[in-house]
Amino acid sequence: MSATTAQLEDVLQAALYLLGARQDQMLTLEEWTDLARAVAACQERKTADYLTEHDLEDIADHYALEWDEATDGALPNLEEE
């Protein structure tokens, strides 16, 4: 499997954002999600594969991130039984 130029550019851009955030002492869930999406696209995997269960719960419960289950994977169902 070879990554496309666009995929590699996405990974580079996400890594640059992450490094910039680290320099500013900020690491947001949005930044981690962007990086996970870029890496997942290059690896032909789902974004959720690269995030923690806690991250996925936060996205499902608190964050208004755009999330496409077909590309990003499933989010946990947090509704009480």
Side-chain angles (χ1 to χ4, degrees):
M1 176 191 84
S2 295
T4 67
T5 300
Q7 289 172 326
L8 293 174
E9 288 172 2
D10 287 345
V11 171
L12 176 59
Q13 189 61 48
L16 289 171
Y17 285 143
L18 185 61
L19 290 171
R22 178 68 180 130
Q23 288 175 329
D24 293 337
Q25 302 296 319
M26 298 174 5
L27 293 174
T28 68
L29 186 53
E30 289 84 358
E31 291 161 332
W32 283 115
T33 301
D34 285 346
L35 182 60
R37 278 188 177 129
V39 172
C42 288
Q43 297 284 309
E44 297 181 0
R45 295 183 65 185
K46 304 285 185 191
T47 304
D49 294 340
Y50 295 99
L51 296 171
T52 67
E53 190 64 31
H54 184 262
D55 290 340
L56 296 172
E57 289 170 0
D58 280 351
I59 291 168
D61 195 34
H62 301 294
Y63 288 88
L65 291 177
E66 287 187 29
W67 193 266
D68 178 9
E69 287 198 6
T71 359
D72 293 322
L75 288 174
N77 183 357
L78 300 179
E79 297 202 11
E80 295 181 2
E81 298 176 333

